[in-house]
Amino acid sequence: MSHILLIVDGMTDPDFRLADYPAMDSMQQLAPVDYSEGGRPETLACTLRILGLRQVPPHIRPIVEAYGAGLEVAPDDLWLRGSWYHIDEQGQPDRQESPETFTLRTDATVEIEPHDLGQGHWLFRLREERYLCERLTLPTPFVTGKMGDLLPEGDETIRDYFSQLATPRHRLIVWDKGVSRPLPQLQEPSVIIAAEKVLLGLGKMLDWETVIHPALTGDTDTDLGLLAQLTLEAAERTDRVIVHVNGADQAGHQRDEAGKRAFLRRIDSELLPLLLRSPHRLTLTSDHGCDPATGCHLAGPQPVLCSGMTHLRGNEGYRKQFSSL
């Protein structure tokens, strides 16, 4: 018997109610857990805490996503992570949205390599510029209210490059930086099923099996029936399967409340019943919330739902993960 850990990215928001989703509501509820632990509610850090890592290294998301994208990661390179945002009438980002057309600089004097992660997200590599990592100050787009300057501070060449990645209504905002560093090993090997580069990179760095399929996407169009099939197949060959579903978070960033609700109903009616009918143990949680009213991530306690608690009570590893056990 395997343990299926289902992470629904960005599931909660101020209007989220378990009672609206019968399959979720039928599961046993443990005490909610705030995986942001007072920090920025960000997918990688929160996911690592879900998996039991207590000390999350700072600024590792660009490195993990570089691995997930199959890019070479050299020890002295600096990586920057950015996303496209729509800019409102006050000059502030109000939702993640990529423009239909934009031009990347090809000036040979600017040695910045862009890499498209899809869905409006990009990585930028600066070769042998590791020393710049501590110097740069970056904005934080996943907050509400005024942000001030949307450009990196600390290096004029980098600031100038990203000042030109803009259209009249869109701007690419760099919100994380990183240099190569080892990721602490987690004790329990797993299979990861995901579409997001950050989860695939995590699997690669931990030397875990990863399962991908073209029909599994990081948006609301992902094939949940296929996801259930692949999950149950993986559960037959391993002790733990980590399943990451991103569509609710994506809809939240796009400020599409109806789309987020519809996607969560699909999870509840298309994915969960198949997993709940299997002989495998199931835990469902979310890394953080995402508010479709603002397009921003939310910190705060996330539901922890189980298909049964008996398998968890004697498992010391999960006692450490979930504060209610």
Side-chain angles (χ1 to χ4, degrees), residues 35-53:
Y35 301 111
S36 65
E37 294 187 351
R40 185 172 73 185
E42 183 269 320
T43 294
L44 178 59
C46 292
T47 298
L48 286 170
R49 293 188 184 104
I50 291 172
L51 298 179
L53 188 64

Side-chain angles (χ1 to χ4, degrees), residues 99-120:
E100 293 185 3
T101 59
F102 61 91
T103 302
L104 286 168
R105 288 182 60 175
T106 57
D107 185 349
T109 63
V110 181
E111 297 181 1
I112 301 178
E113 300 176 10
H115 298 276
D116 186 1
L117 296 175
Q119 297 180 316

